[in-house]
């Protein structure tokens, strides 16, 4: 665990971009495929996906090599954050954070004392190889990734304060929910939405705060990289399956 997450953090700190995808289904085959092809990370989605806490150990066993296992939890619940990390996630992504105080609470939930409040049950944790990894506690605070999602105008206005917390590794713009919050949904409002996003990203870039996003509002991956987004989550296992099925149907129906 430590080697993988340290590598990903190093890339962010060096200003490099990282890329991965969402995992929405319970089948660990996608984690295995992502690891085999060398994606930087996969975000295991417990917010919108069909994945529950009991599914995590089986999914996390599918990760290998240099692919980092991040878990998006449904909310900023400190007990859930700790339980996800106990099962072996390399980091957490937390949606709908609306204050610096909540961001700090999230970060503290992901860290052991004295930096945080995460409970100690090391001999029982999958994350510590069930107590056989004597270095786990010493390395976990350094290696665990904490990603805070910004999904409202209020949160975007706090990007520098939240992203500037030493315990936060990256802020992630949630453009879909942000567009709804700003009443700027749909292609007719892409220009206005992107203006809001670009202003915040420029400030974060100047402050050396890494920012992530999904391809959205008419923008593809190369443009997002050029704008300074360091983390790009593009596509999902469900999306890849759906698109392949749609394409197959077209081929089968063609003359």
């Amino acid at each position: 665990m430590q080697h993988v997450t340290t590598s990903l953090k190093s890339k962010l700190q060096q200003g490099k971009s990282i890329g991965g995808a969402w995992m929405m289904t319970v089948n660990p085959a996608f984690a295995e495929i992502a690891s085999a092809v060398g994606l930087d990370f996969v975000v295991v989605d417990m917010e919108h996906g069909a994945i529950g806490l009991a599914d995590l150990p089986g999914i996390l066993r599918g990760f290998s090599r240099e692919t980092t296992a991040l878990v998006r939890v449904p909310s900023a619940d400190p007990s859930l954050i700790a339980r996800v990390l106990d099962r072996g996630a390399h980091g957490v992504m937390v949606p709908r954070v609306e204050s610096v105080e909540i961001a700090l609470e999230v970060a503290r939930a992901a860290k052991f004392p004295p930096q945080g409040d995460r409970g100690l049950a090391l001999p029982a944790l999958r994350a510590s190889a069930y107590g056989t990894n004597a270095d786990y506690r010493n390395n976990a605070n350094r290696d665990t990734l904490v990603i805070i999602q910004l999904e409202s105008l209020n949160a975007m206005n706090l990007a520098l304060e939240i992203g500037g917390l030493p315990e936060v590794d990256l802020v992630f713009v949630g453009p879909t929910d942000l567009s709804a919050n700003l009443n700027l949904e749909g292609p007719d409002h892409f220009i206005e939405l992107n203006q809001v996003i670009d202003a915040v990203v420029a400030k974060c870039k100047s402050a050396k705060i890494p920012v992530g996003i999904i391809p959205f509002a008419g923008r593809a991956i190369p443009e997002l990289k050029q704008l300074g987004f360091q983390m790009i989550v593009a596509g999902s296992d469900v999306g890849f399956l759906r698109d392949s099925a749609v394409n197959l149907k077209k081929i089968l129906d063609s003359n």
Side-chain angles (χ1 to χ4, degrees), residues 64-174:
S64 62
R65 300 171 66 185
E66 291 292 316
T67 300
T68 297
L70 304 172
V71 175
R72 178 162 72 171
V73 293
S75 66
D77 179 348
S79 63
L80 181 57
I81 290 168
R83 295 181 78 186
V84 162
L85 294 173
D86 286 352
R87 280 152 179 76
H90 300 134
V92 291
M93 177 185 288
V94 182
R96 299 187 305 281
V97 173
E98 290 292 326
S99 70
V100 176
E101 292 74 20
I102 295 297
L104 186 56
E105 185 176 291
V106 164
R108 289 190 63 82
K111 307 289 183 179
F112 291 116
Q115 290 92 338
D117 306 313
R118 185 178 170 191
L120 293 166
L122 298 176
L125 304 185
R126 180 180 178 274
S128 67
Y130 304 103
T132 65
N133 180 357
D135 296 325
Y136 176 70
R137 181 182 176 182
N138 293 334
N139 295 331
N141 283 358
R142 178 198 68 199
D143 295 333
T144 301
L145 283 153
V146 176
I147 300 170
I148 301 295
Q149 283 195 256
L150 312 176
E151 301 180 278
S152 69
L153 181 60
N154 173 65
M156 292 287 279
N157 288 336
L158 294 171
L160 290 180
E161 289 84 352
I162 291 173
L165 292 172
E167 302 86 354
V168 172
D169 298 293
L170 183 141
V171 291
F172 191 93
V173 177

Side-chain angles (χ1 to χ4, degrees), residues 39-51:
L39 291 185
D40 289 317
F41 63 86
V42 169
V43 182
V44 181
D45 193 356
M46 292 179 64
E47 182 187 16
H48 295 300
I51 297 164

